Amino acid sequence: MRYNQFLGNILAAALEKESCGDKYDIMLNEIFKAKRLGKRDRIWVSDRFFFYLRHKLFFDEVSENSEICAKNIAMIFEDEPDEILTEKIENLHKNGTYNRLFNESFPEFLSNKIRSLYGSDTFSWFNSKAKTVLRTNLRKISRDELSEMLKSEGFENSPTPLSPAGIILEPTNKSLKNIELFAKGFFEFQDESSQLASLLVNKNTKTLLEPCAGGGGKSLAVSSFFKDIKVTASDSRTYLFKEIKERAKRAGTRIETAAFSDISSDFDTVFIDSPCSGSGVIRRNPGDRWNINEKILSDLNKLQSELIRKFAVKVKKGGELIYITCSFLERENEEIIQKFLNENKDFSLISAEARLSENIKNSTGFSEITNDLYFRTKPFSERDLMFGAVMKRN
């Protein structure tokens, strides 16, 4: 194998900073800017760095230092291991640890949870690279029209199976953020699971509060799917309101923003897109698997329970409370909901499957994204793993 030593050294530098706690994209971009790398070289380093994160236990086992690790990554990535690496791999097969280190490269408690929930075959899906998914802004254009326009600009795509607005893009190195279709607000970047979660909203809702709005992705989706709903976005990070306003303007819609202290009225629907471990999106963020631990989960569980209690009081009588996470861990999902329902007898669960059937016409297959009364997507599709519960205030 011809090894690019210059790029290998940059990859090694990234590996040395891997445990610093920075966001990996931010960390890599800082390195790329410092080295003035072009687009092709950035892709070379990024692809191999994230490949490492997906198989970290293996590479740490067979590599003595970051320089050797960078070369080992390149050799495995291109399926051209040298004699030394081949011998190490053979030894791992002999002692029965190869599969655990390479294919099931997760913290032990997370790998055990994946195996118990979904089976060992699922690890290949968790380690695969997620495709880019768009949500058509139905206020401005139909999905079919947008699909054809994207194809005319060289972006091959296909419709999502269930969301009426979703478009799955085939892999490409071309940037979508620089094209006119994005500038005109014809689409946003949003996984199909997030789109479907937004479709858990009651279509008869008049007012909706999203108290953990972040950059406003779910608020924008609700505004696109339900044109008559007045959406209010809030967040403890009020500096994000500027981004929400800009995105809403581009989308051709209006989203109100309000700090927690300024929320005085009650709402037909309160939509809590709760902070969580992100375990359901580790295909997109492979490094996050190494940041999920018992302390983080314990702190998140406290916050999740606090948020759902705090904002449940903002639901009008007869209104609905929707709780969403991008996690597949029961302790962030079903356990939080059951605890809340046990303490709040005036709320009861509504079938997520029935709600999706109401909002998405002429579609079947909702059983593959629901479990009991909950919204719960599953592996082996081009969707992130998400959880959702719809509760009515009696």
Side-chain angles (χ1 to χ4, degrees), residues 110 126 274-286 288-289 292 296-297 300 304 325-329 332 384-385:
L110 207 52
F126 275 97
S274 180
C276 68
S277 65
S279 61
V281 292
I282 50 182
R283 287 179 73 220
R284 298 186 186 281
N285 308 302
D288 285 0
R289 70 186 73 185
I292 302 172
I296 286 175
L297 286 173
L300 282 168
Q304 289 154 354
T325 74
C326 53
S327 169
F328 62 81
L329 301 174
E332 298 187 86
D384 295 336
L385 300 184

Side-chain angles (χ1 to χ4, degrees), residues 77-257:
F77 189 88
E78 296 173 25
D79 198 22
E80 295 183 21
D82 62 12
E83 290 183 6
I84 296 174
L85 184 55
T86 298
E87 184 178 353
K88 290 181 177 180
I89 292 172
E90 289 175 352
N91 288 335
L92 293 178
H93 278 292
K94 288 177 182 177
N95 64 32
T97 60
Y98 176 82
N99 189 60
R100 167 76 183 106
L101 294 173
F102 189 83
N103 297 318
E104 301 179 7
S105 185
F106 290 81
E108 186 174 4
F109 89 95
L110 207 52
S111 62
N112 289 340
K113 179 57 67 175
I114 290 171
R115 196 178 295 107
S116 65
L117 280 175
Y118 306 118
S120 297
D121 293 343
T122 322
F123 286 103
S124 61
W125 181 84
F126 275 97
N127 285 323
S128 64
K129 193 173 181 179
K131 292 183 178 180
T132 299
V133 182
L134 310 179
R135 176 183 53 75
T136 307
N137 180 7
L138 299 177
R139 283 181 171 269
K140 290 191 170 186
I141 193 171
S142 73
R143 176 169 66 177
D144 289 345
E145 289 174 314
L146 178 59
S147 175
E148 290 305 314
M149 289 181 178
L150 288 167
K151 288 176 181 177
S152 69
E153 297 205 24
F155 295 97
E156 292 301 314
N157 63 81
S158 58
T160 49
L162 291 175
S163 169
I167 293 176
I168 303 171
L169 290 178
E170 292 304 310
T172 177
N173 291 332
K174 298 171 66 177
S175 174
L176 275 161
K177 287 190 174 181
N178 296 327
I179 66 174
E180 189 176 4
L181 296 175
F182 180 70
K184 287 184 174 181
F186 288 171
F187 67 85
E188 283 282 351
F189 297 87
Q190 190 174 52
D191 178 75
E192 186 184 18
S193 290
S194 291
Q195 297 179 38
L196 293 169
S198 302
L199 285 162
L200 291 171
V201 172
N202 189 326
K203 63 184 177 182
N204 296 317
T205 294
K206 299 300 181 185
T207 59
L208 179 143
L209 170 68
E210 188 188 2
C212 305
K218 300 291 195 313
S219 290
L220 286 166
V222 170
S223 183
S224 175
F225 287 127
F226 307 98
K227 298 178 176 60
D228 295 327
I229 294 180
K230 180 183 177 183
V231 178
T232 300
S234 186
D235 201 285
S236 59
R237 301 159 295 175
T238 55
Y239 62 85
L240 292 170
F241 292 173
K242 182 175 184 290
E243 178 185 349
I244 294 173
K245 292 289 189 183
E246 290 172 350
R247 293 176 72 184
K249 182 179 180 181
R250 186 174 66 241
T253 189
R254 180 177 176 82
I255 294 175
E256 301 291 336
T257 55

